[in-house]
Amino acid sequence: MTRSEADFPPSDLLQQYAKSRPDAWRRHLVEALCIVGARQVLRRLGFRWQELRLHYLPHVAEVALHVHPLLKSLYRICEQLTLAQSGRLVLDVGEKVARQQAGDPLRFYDPTYLEIFLLDWLTRGSLRLGDINAAGSDVQLLIEHLKFNDLQEQAKLLIDTINSNAPEAAPPAPPLVAIKQETQLDSSASSVSSASSSRRGNALELSREKAGIVLIINQQRFHRNVSEDLKQYLPSKKLQNRAGTDVDKQRLTEVFSAMNYQVEARDNVDHLDMVQLVRSACDRSLLQDSLVVCILSHGFEEAVYGANSIALRIADIENVLCSYETLYNKPKLLIIQACQEEALREGEENKPFKIDVTTQSPSQHVNMVRAMSTVNGFSALRHTHSGSWFIQGLCDAIDQHSASEHIADILTIVTNEVSQKRGKNDESMVPKFNSSFRQHVYFPPRL
């Protein structure tokens, strides 16, 4: 009898699993989908199979990142055995389990679903996975059966999985812990090596190979063509064009491209499209080391404008960045070039649009830096031909100091340099930044 999809009641099993592992379930699920080869599902989720294959190595049976390595090997064995071989395994091992264990046996007899029998034996304790390194594991029942039935390749897979994941004696701690070590050095790396030697310990070095995405939202011109329900968020006066902002965009592109970041620049983006661009960058950062978002626009205290003259709260943009599990414990840098004058001016209050985004725990805000062009209550200075003081100063500091200084120290250098500048009419500006980095974080090496 053929059963249709409608014959199966809906299940909340995946929801229960996600709730039981709120900080890790996405990584486990993506790797599991790679292991089972669910390419269409992964493509619909926005992932690139080739990148995932290189990251998770689903074709290497003994190696796993998040999924337990023995579970990966057991799945591979289930896929390799014929129906007859699976049937013999179920009868032989099942009989031994029944002799060892009291209680009702599993009342299911279809060896096509060998995975169900393996789960039952694991639940009963007849098989044990041990810890994530397979220490304390016990799959001897399976190994003995596989060897006796001339399934040497599958028996060797289980043995190799246990042996290859056994922890080795810890080597002396290196001075620098890298997210991903460079796999190859060339003649140009000598200067990088000498600079790295002067870096501080307890540090995190971003790799060139997976530096990450730099999203630049560059607001040059502004309009007020919005729906009736959004007009309440428009400022009282038309926002002026931002001459010189393209100079900032070009400089940011050059500086971050030199560190092998994937730069994505977008001009004149409305407020909700800004949110969508940030979300898209977050979604695509699973396999990256970091994410940088630069917003060049007008603004007022704690808010920044979209091209449709509707402002977003900067805290909401930060919450979007911190709400993605793909970015947990990864450095996130939000750079804002915008005036931060008081919201209440000339008797009218500017009103930002509220995004429905929240974070559930303070720990989600770890490794987040917000770099602002100015302290609250003041304007941000921008030259119409040479660009803004803050962005140009930031790019200069990265050019000159990224080989030896970590990101927080680079931002401190920017604050020092910019705060000493004076305009023709004695204008001044003081940038600021807030950091929740848990350790020193260094930009990737430059070419």
Side-chain angles (χ1 to χ4, degrees), residues 77-91 109-114 117 145:
I77 290 172
C78 290
E79 292 295 293
Q80 293 169 359
L81 297 188
T82 66
L83 183 57
Q85 290 168 337
S86 296
R88 284 194 295 271
L89 189 151
V90 168
L91 290 174
Y109 305 102
D110 189 346
T112 305
Y113 304 99
L114 178 56
F117 293 93
H145 170 86

Side-chain angles (χ1 to χ4, degrees), residues 60-71:
V60 181
E62 303 90 347
V63 177
L65 290 182
H66 308 297
V67 171
H68 196 290
L70 274 174
L71 286 178

Side-chain angles (χ1 to χ4, degrees), residues 206-208 211-216 248-264 290-294 296 333-335 371 391 394-399 402 407 410-411 442-447:
L206 306 179
S207 72
R208 285 184 55 82
I213 296 171
V214 172
L215 172 63
I216 304 173
D248 286 345
K249 179 184 74 171
Q250 183 60 33
R251 186 76 191 285
L252 286 168
T253 300
E254 292 170 354
V255 167
F256 281 99
S257 294
M259 296 183 287
N260 210 38
Y261 275 93
Q262 177 185 335
V263 179
E264 301 175 358
S290 62
L291 174 61
V292 181
V293 175
C294 308
L296 318 176
L333 182 56
L334 176 60
I335 300 170
I391 295 298
L394 173 64
C395 291
D396 287 343
I398 293 174
D399 271 343
S402 64
I407 292 175
I410 289 174
L411 292 173
Y442 290 87
F443 280 122
R446 299 168 54 80
L447 289 178

Side-chain angles (χ1 to χ4, degrees), residues 147 203 210 382 418 434:
K147 286 184 174 180
K210 293 291 183 180
R382 169 178 37 85
V418 173
N434 299 320

Side-chain angles (χ1 to χ4, degrees), residues 47 331 435:
F47 295 109
S435 170

Side-chain angles (χ1 to χ4, degrees), residues 149-160:
N149 287 273
D150 201 26
L151 295 168
Q152 303 298 333
E153 180 182 345
Q154 287 72 24
K156 184 176 183 298
L157 173 57
L158 291 178
I159 295 170
D160 288 348

Side-chain angles (χ1 to χ4, degrees), residues 200 404-414 433 440 442:
R200 304 182 186 183
S404 58
E405 303 296 338
H406 59 83
I407 292 175
D409 272 1
I410 289 174
L411 292 173
T412 301
I413 292 170
V414 175
F433 71 95
H440 303 314
Y442 290 87

Side-chain angles (χ1 to χ4, degrees), residues 336-409:
I336 303 290
Q337 165 60 40
C339 291
Q340 292 294 288
E341 294 168 307
E342 293 182 4
L344 189 62
R345 300 184 65 193
E346 299 181 5
E348 294 188 20
E349 184 178 0
N350 292 323
K351 184 178 180 182
F353 183 88
K354 180 71 172 68
I355 306 171
D356 185 17
V357 57
T358 58
T359 51
Q360 305 301 318
S361 167
S363 63
Q364 292 178 256
H365 291 263
V366 165
N367 281 338
M368 178 73 218
V369 168
R370 185 202 296 189
M372 303 291 299
S373 56
T374 177
V375 295
N376 286 351
F378 295 91
S379 60
L381 302 176
R382 169 178 37 85
H383 194 281
T384 55
H385 297 294
S386 57
S388 67
W389 287 11
F390 174 60
I391 295 298
Q392 295 301 317
L394 173 64
C395 291
D396 287 343
I398 293 174
D399 271 343
Q400 298 167 18
H401 302 289
S402 64
S404 58
E405 303 296 338
H406 59 83
I407 292 175
D409 272 1

